[in-house]
Amino acid sequence: MNDDGRLNPDLPALLRLARTENVGPVTWRRLMHDHPSAEEALAALPERARRGGRKGPLRIPEPTEIEREIEGVLSLGGRIITLFDPDYPPLLAELPDSPPILSMLGNPACLSAQRSVGIVGARNASAAGMRFAESLATELSHAGITVISGLARGIDAAAHRGALHGEFPEWGSSVAAIAGGLDVVYPAENAALQALLAEKGAVVTEAPLGTQPQARHFPRRNRLIAGLSLGTVVVEAAMNSGSLITAQLADRYSRALFAVPGSPLDPRCRGSNDLLRSRNAHLVETIEDILPYLRHSHAAAEQMLPGFAEAQEEWGTPSMTGDAGLDRVRRMIPSLISFTPVPVDDLVRRCQVSVSAVLTVLTELELAGRVEMLPGGAVVQLMPDGTG
């Protein structure tokens, strides 16, 4: 959507490409780099999927389906923002796997706050943990810092409530990144809180309308929290919890990472305590433990991210590999990937070819439904389902 409120004329095609089967954020970006327009990228999809080994057709949404989605978002009072729009969140745009399409309710300026902090933690949080998260969010908001969280019960909901507690215009606000569609409230108990966030802050998702949150959607939601924030605070996170995925992504994206220490007797604190033990996170007891790192983090956030972001940097240059070289990479890549995620950087080093060549082949394989690009720059092999 343009600054004057008019719809971007390219939006239907860009959204149609993003909603196409097996087109993830990295593949969408690669397709838009390789083709002059979204229409031409759509036309090239069948052949590129065939090169990746797909036998059947890809499901590409009909234009009428996309028109209904756009009209549905607008009827909710929302808007759709593409990666090419000027009001796309600048911190999120820095990510090599930033979502190409965002649907949102509320104030778009909240997504582009100069200072923002994510707060995440356990759903089954203790009363003390929720009290701390709410108090910390209130202090951050009072300091003009936008609080980002995931609208889950427990720590997330407490953080949102704390950030929205003040009525002063100089206070910050809060953004909820959700896993489902804008028209889906999850959990249902947070319906009033979601409505308040849409009124005083923002609610954002990359999922289409009608999407019911499932386990596989939450890592991408966690990526939104980490990507919209200069730093992320973890409060009461168990080992192998979704909150630790958010923490890993924040670290991967070179954003500041913080953790609140908890009792060693409480399993809800083992993950957050482990972040401190491994020295990946800064210990947080008050807001003063956060503010200095936000200033440093903001300067660092304006620079290109290391690792997989170097691949993004090379997307602007054509591959010098040639057809023979691409055929070699097509033979090599399947033997290097597995059901355990592998960083794209490792594939580039092992293939000893240009980043562009590796990404070209991974694009073909993702379109064929053979691999999936995960948040943070890793790739994983998918189980065959007989539909490819």
Side-chain angles (χ1 to χ4, degrees), residues 264-300:
L265 302 178
D266 190 341
R268 290 172 294 196
C269 300
R270 287 178 184 163
S272 44
N273 284 347
D274 189 61
L275 291 174
L276 295 170
R277 182 183 302 109
S278 63
R279 298 185 179 180
N280 287 339
H282 305 290
L283 185 147
V284 170
E285 293 179 322
T286 72
I287 187 176
E288 300 303 325
D289 296 318
I290 297 173
L291 297 180
Y293 294 99
L294 292 188
R295 288 193 287 270
H296 292 280
S297 180
H298 185 55

Side-chain angles (χ1 to χ4, degrees), residues 20-355:
T20 294
E21 180 187 10
N22 297 338
V23 175
V26 176
T27 292
W28 185 94
R29 202 164 183 161
R30 184 69 193 177
L31 290 167
M32 290 304 301
H33 167 264
D34 290 346
H35 302 281
S37 67
E39 288 87 351
E40 294 193 38
L42 286 162
L45 287 177
E47 175 59 21
R48 298 196 69 163
R50 186 195 64 76
R51 289 178 189 164
R54 189 179 182 91
K55 298 179 177 61
L58 279 174
R59 185 189 179 280
I60 302 175
E62 294 296 330
T64 52
E65 184 178 337
I66 297 303
E67 290 171 8
R68 286 195 298 272
E69 179 176 353
I70 295 173
E71 292 170 359
V73 171
L74 295 178
S75 69
L76 291 173
R79 60 187 293 167
I80 298 176
I81 303 172
T82 79
L83 186 58
F84 300 137
D85 291 337
D87 51 358
Y88 190 93
L91 280 175
L92 200 59
E94 294 174 358
L95 307 188
D97 53 358
S98 50
I101 303 290
L102 295 173
S103 300
M104 67 156 298
L105 298 169
N107 183 359
C110 293
L111 303 182
S112 301
Q114 291 188 351
R115 295 204 298 171
S116 51
V117 169
I119 299 179
V120 296
R123 288 177 169 83
N124 62 333
S126 69
M130 288 187 285
R131 185 168 62 250
F132 182 88
E134 185 168 348
S135 174
L136 182 66
T138 298
E139 290 186 65
L140 288 167
S141 181
H142 195 201
I145 297 171
T146 297
V147 173
I148 317 291
S149 198
L151 199 62
R153 61 176 60 92
I155 296 298
D156 288 19
H160 289 307
R161 286 194 296 267
L164 296 174
H165 187 266
E167 297 294 337
F168 303 102
E170 67 270 19
W171 281 34
S173 186
S174 189
V175 173
I178 61 175
L182 284 182
D183 55 342
V184 176
V185 177
Y186 181 85
E189 66 200 59
N190 284 344
L193 180 57
Q194 180 165 326
L196 185 61
L197 283 159
E199 176 188 346
K200 298 182 64 177
V203 179
V204 63
T205 183
E206 57 182 311
L209 290 178
T211 300
Q212 297 291 330
Q214 300 177 22
R216 61 188 176 89
H217 297 145
F218 285 96
R220 295 201 181 278
R221 186 282 306 267
N222 297 342
R223 167 173 118 279
L224 289 179
I225 298 172
L228 286 167
S229 307
L230 285 173
T232 297
V233 182
V234 180
V235 183
E236 290 192 351
M239 297 298 291
N240 302 316
S241 63
S243 298
L244 292 190
I245 294 177
T246 308
Q248 291 163 6
L249 290 170
D251 187 55
R252 183 75 177 99
Y253 296 146
S254 299
R255 306 293 167 81
L257 181 59
F258 309 92
V260 178
S263 169
L265 302 178
D266 190 341
R268 290 172 294 196
C269 300
R270 287 178 184 163
S272 44
N273 284 347
D274 189 61
L275 291 174
L276 295 170
R277 182 183 302 109
S278 63
R279 298 185 179 180
N280 287 339
H282 305 290
L283 185 147
V284 170
E285 293 179 322
T286 72
I287 187 176
E288 300 303 325
D289 296 318
I290 297 173
L291 297 180
Y293 294 99
L294 292 188
R295 288 193 287 270
H296 292 280
S297 180
H298 185 55
E302 294 175 348
Q303 302 173 5
M304 183 61 68
L305 300 166
F308 181 50
E310 294 173 7
Q312 183 187 14
E313 189 174 60
E314 293 196 29
W315 289 5
T317 59
S319 170
M320 302 302 292
T321 308
D323 291 340
L326 280 176
D327 287 340
R328 172 176 164 270
V329 179
R330 290 185 182 110
R331 291 191 298 271
M332 291 181 66
I333 292 285
S335 66
L336 296 175
I337 57 177
S338 69
F339 300 117
T340 300
V342 179
V344 174
D345 302 328
D346 287 357
L347 296 179
V348 173
R349 284 191 290 269
R350 290 181 178 276
C351 291
Q352 296 184 339
V353 294
S354 70
V355 174

